[in-house]
Amino acid sequence: MILVFGGTTEGRKAVSELEESGRLFYYSTKSGEQDITLHHGIRIDGALDEEKMATFCLDHAIRLIIDAAHPFATLLHSTIVCVARRLNLPAIRFERLYPPRAHDICWCDDYSHLPNDIHTLLATTGVQSISRLRYLEERGVKVFYRILPRKSSLALALHQGVDENYLCYYQEGEDEMEAMKATGADAILLKESGMTGGFTRKVEAARQLGLRIIAIRRPPTDTYFHIVDGEHGLRRMVEQLLPDFFPLHSGLTTGTCATAAAVAATRRLLWGECPEKVGIQLPNGETIAVAVGYPAVGAKVVKDAGDDPDVTDGMEIRAEVSFVPRDPSEFGNSTTADSEEKFPIIIKGGKGVGTFTLPGFDYPPGEPAINKAPRQMIISNLIPLLAASHCHDTLQVTISVPGGEETALRTFNPRLGIQGGISIIGVSGIVKPFSEEAFIDSIRKCMTVAHASGSQRVVINSGAKSERYIKSMYPDLPPQAFVEYGNYIGATLKEAHALGFRKVTLGVMMGKAVKLAEGHLDTHSRKVTMSKDFIAQMLQESGCTSSTIHRANGMTLARELWDIVPASQIDAFCDTVIRHCQAHCAPLLPQGELTIFLIDEHGNIHALSHP
């Protein structure tokens, strides 16, 4: 069992990840005022001291604590560490993302260390900090306190003796500059609350108004915690500390593996370092640690797909790096921000990485099959290393995958026109097993390639078997025009509409057809099962006898209908099934012509006799 302390954006993210497990967990907030929906979690509200927290953990068999509370909730952080140590429980600290500490901000460690020459101050540090700032008023400083528009916040502020005229309220979506100007303050006080706490937004508004900016540094994190700073890292840490909580474990994309190998190879080249793990930043800004190894040259990462059925699982993703000299006149202004222009990086594909041979991808034919997101990951992770080394030569990164040519033959790559190896892919950097998002993203890529092939028609199928049968109907179409939808019929049709396809053929077999006919555009067995009542309705519409309907009620698999429905009525039944499917699918293709083929177990194709 897991106990989460939240009440924050990070708390919401933790809940979102834990809900995917389908397991019970507890979510604790101090005030109970956060609006959050829990399906598998149980909410508990109210402050817990050390004894109450320890008792709760023992009574509810807590095996892991996640601290996703506000970074300045120092008493709670301390209590969690004390209880975790006392009960020998692992504890994760879900940190926020923080921007670098800017030099134009006056940084303080405590409220008592604020500058002495403030005249009018807008304090955005919350209602709990009011009592610690009242000493400024005794110095003659006019202090405005911005608090949340809650009854509890107002009551606490008034209890601390604040004149209500010096209270202003935070409103969701308000203009920060207008809110600051309304007080007439010449200085603003912030907590280092991170990206989700609006710190950057407030700082930028204050800069534009020319306000003096004072910030309280965030408290240090206890070394007892396992620290993560994003939802992906949180899930992977839970999988490590509590392996049985998630029924399926996440993995790394080939893009993440290539990035980690490139980072390790660059550190080896620049400083001779060969760490066992390197930290890399994912596209969402969080950092995760990836294990790396070192062949004779460069570095490597063994692809861990988690529990996702990925043919690249266990393969080595390698990176070799070298410098290409640049003319000093190309270095540009050394005071400019770190960028690709200042630190150019060339990314190449080595042995085992495929090459694009058709249009429709992020890069033109002839380029290595390394997609846009992984390339950007590699570049954004290497620029800080180059900046730290003060090297301005061009860095060349070559990604290779031993055995990639053979493995690629078991993927969609040959059909998509990617020759000679696998693709380096991944949008989020993390693979969730049987991820709906990942599958739909692959459908989107296949549909884009089909569109780029110039074909006026796209043929969508549930898998290789139905595609094999239906190809005979369209012998002149290029291979790229045939796309597998798996179970995501609705998402595939929407993509066809978005790309402007005017002619779409949907091939479907009976098991998915009876679900689609009832209106289920995602036919996965985890989400929907066939309805025998609805099948009975369609049989009745087709003129079948009560005897046939009774036999159908005893079937286990939908494909048994091919034997149950009499040959004299099979065409009428197929027409009924297709008509129902058409009613649900055609609206998703409003400017297109949709043809639906129902395919039997022998490859015979049934269509409406009067479309």
Side-chain angles (χ1 to χ4, degrees):
M1 202 75 72
I2 295 177
L3 171 60
V4 183
F5 290 92
T8 57
T9 300
E10 289 68 35
R12 289 185 183 277
K13 292 179 179 179
V15 165
S16 179
E17 287 299 314
L18 298 183
E19 286 280 5
E20 291 186 10
S21 71
R23 305 285 177 82
L24 181 67
F25 64 93
Y26 293 93
Y27 185 72
S28 171
T29 65
K30 181 178 180 181
S31 65
E33 294 177 301
Q34 185 183 32
D35 182 18
I36 190 167
T37 301
L38 299 173
H39 297 290
H40 301 290
I42 297 176
R43 183 165 185 159
I44 57 173
D45 296 314
L48 297 175
D49 59 21
E50 184 177 337
E51 289 305 317
K52 289 181 179 178
M53 189 184 298
T55 300
F56 183 91
C57 289
L58 290 171
D59 289 347
H60 296 84
I62 299 300
R63 298 164 58 201
L64 171 66
I65 300 177
I66 298 174
D67 180 1
H70 194 281
F72 282 80
T74 51
L75 178 59
L76 175 58
H77 304 323
S78 175
T79 303
I80 290 171
V81 170
C82 288
V83 170
R85 281 199 171 108
R86 176 173 157 186
L87 301 181
N88 196 29
L89 297 175
I92 299 172
R93 170 62 187 154
F94 191 162
E95 284 282 18
R96 298 181 174 185
L97 297 176
Y98 296 94
R101 287 176 177 160
H103 297 301
D104 64 339
I105 297 176
C106 175
W107 294 94
C108 302
D109 290 319
D110 190 81
Y111 294 99
S112 61
H113 297 158
L114 303 188
N116 294 320
D117 54 347
I118 307 171
H119 300 291
T120 305
L121 178 70
L122 171 60
T124 66
T125 47
V127 69
Q128 298 287 348
S129 66
I130 291 177
S131 61
R132 305 177 70 178
L133 293 170
R134 296 301 303 276
Y135 77 94
L136 294 173
E137 298 174 34
E138 298 173 4
R139 292 184 186 173
V141 179
K142 186 184 292 186
V143 183
F144 289 90
Y145 301 97
R146 189 162 78 165
I147 64 174
L148 291 170
R150 296 173 178 167
K151 290 182 179 180
S152 58
S153 298
L154 174 60
L156 183 56
L158 297 177
H159 179 73
Q160 295 174 88
V162 177
D163 185 332
E164 195 166 353
N165 293 319
Y166 288 91
L167 292 176
C168 48
Y169 299 94
Y170 171 78
Q171 302 295 335
E172 186 74 29
E174 69 180 342
D175 186 312
E176 288 285 356
M177 290 179 61
E178 291 301 318
M180 292 177 188
K181 284 193 290 187
T183 64
D186 52 27
I188 184 170
L189 176 65
L190 312 168
K191 285 179 178 176
E192 190 182 12
S193 55
M195 307 295 278
T196 56
F199 182 81
T200 302
R201 186 179 68 251
K202 294 172 189 173
V203 166
E204 287 305 316
R207 282 177 179 148
Q208 292 185 51
L209 292 174
L211 301 185
R212 184 177 185 181
I213 306 171
I214 307 164
I216 305 295
R217 291 187 185 90
R218 66 183 184 274
T221 302
D222 196 288
T223 56
Y224 184 83
F225 283 113
H226 298 273
I227 300 174
V228 300
D229 59 3
E231 58 268 30
H232 298 310
L234 175 68
R235 175 166 179 150
R236 289 180 66 78
M237 187 59 70
V238 171
E239 290 170 350
Q240 177 184 325
L241 298 174
L242 221 61
D244 58 346
F245 185 77
F246 286 99
L248 296 172
H249 288 189
S250 61
L252 304 177
T253 64
T254 49
T256 294
C257 296
T259 300
V263 166
T266 302
R267 289 177 61 172
R268 183 180 186 181
L269 175 68
L270 291 174
W271 302 297
E273 299 176 350
C274 294
E276 292 181 0
K277 291 184 177 182
V278 294
I280 64 162
Q281 189 176 75
L282 298 178
N284 69 351
E286 70 172 288
T287 300
I288 64 168
V290 179
V292 293
Y294 299 92
V297 180
K300 66 179 182 180
V301 172
V302 176
K303 168 72 183 292
D304 169 22
D307 289 320
D308 198 58
D310 189 332
V311 296
T312 64
D313 186 39
M315 298 190 73
E316 288 185 1
I317 313 295
R318 297 191 175 200
E320 294 183 19
V321 296
S322 60
F323 282 112
V324 178
R326 250 201 325 164
D327 190 301
S329 63
E330 301 176 6
F331 291 173
N333 185 352
S334 61
T335 62
T336 58
D338 294 342
S339 64
E340 292 180 53
E341 182 179 355
K342 189 173 180 181
F343 300 102
I345 297 169
I346 298 172
I347 299 176
K348 292 191 170 186
K351 191 173 178 58
V353 172
T355 300
F356 296 129
T357 64
L358 294 175
F361 291 96
D362 293 334
Y363 299 95
E367 282 283 313
I370 304 174
N371 287 357
K372 186 175 182 179
R375 290 194 196 209
Q376 192 53 53
M377 273 183 68
I378 292 170
I379 290 168
S380 62
N381 276 273
L382 293 184
I383 283 177
L385 302 181
L386 298 177
S389 72
H390 305 291
C391 180
H392 292 274
D393 286 336
T394 298
L395 183 70
Q396 181 171 290
V397 181
T398 302
I399 304 299
S400 61
V401 183
E405 303 98 319
E406 295 80 12
T407 300
L409 298 177
R410 291 182 281 145
T411 71
F412 287 131
N413 277 12
R415 174 181 299 182
L416 296 177
I418 299 173
Q419 301 296 329
I422 69 166
S423 305
I424 304 300
I425 60 174
V427 176
S428 68
I430 297 294
V431 176
K432 288 188 177 179
F434 302 99
S435 164
E436 177 177 330
E437 178 186 357
F439 200 99
I440 292 176
D441 185 58
S442 70
I443 291 173
R444 188 175 296 115
K445 286 185 173 65
C446 291
M447 293 291 283
T448 302
V449 171
H451 187 262
S453 74
S455 175
Q456 299 301 304
R457 179 182 296 275
V458 64
V459 181
I460 62 175
N461 319 272
S462 60
K465 185 177 181 180
S466 60
E467 180 180 308
R468 185 171 65 252
Y469 293 146
I470 210 169
K471 266 188 172 178
S472 62
M473 302 292 292
Y474 300 102
D476 297 328
L477 288 182
Q480 293 77 29
F482 295 84
V483 175
E484 291 186 14
Y485 57 71
N487 290 290
Y488 305 108
I489 298 172
T492 308
L493 289 171
K494 289 177 183 177
E495 193 62 31
H497 171 65
L499 288 169
F501 278 106
R502 293 294 180 264
K503 295 181 178 181
V504 178
T505 296
L506 165 63
V508 63
M509 300 188 79
M510 189 63 80
K512 296 184 189 301
V514 295
K515 297 177 184 178
L516 180 61
E518 195 179 8
H520 299 291
L521 296 170
D522 177 352
T523 59
H524 201 292
S525 59
R526 288 178 298 176
K527 295 188 176 182
V528 60
T529 57
M530 68 174 180
S531 168
K532 291 182 181 179
D533 288 341
F534 185 73
I535 291 172
Q537 175 190 319
M538 290 194 291
L539 289 167
Q540 191 171 26
E541 290 176 21
S542 308
C544 292
T545 65
S546 57
S547 173
T548 300
I549 295 172
H550 178 73
R551 285 184 64 198
N553 191 51
M555 68 183 177
T556 303
L557 300 173
R559 64 169 177 254
E560 295 173 46
L561 287 164
W562 294 114
D563 296 321
I564 292 172
V565 178
S568 60
Q569 292 173 304
I570 195 68
D571 286 340
F573 178 64
C574 288
D575 282 1
T576 300
V577 173
I578 293 171
R579 190 181 295 109
H580 278 283
C581 292
Q582 189 93 23
H584 297 295
C585 293
L588 302 180
L589 203 69
Q591 280 87 44
E593 171 194 300
L594 176 63
T595 301
I596 299 179
F597 290 150
L598 180 58
I599 308 166
D600 67 22
E601 298 302 299
H602 304 290
N604 300 310
I605 293 175
H606 301 260
L608 274 171
S609 56
H610 44 82

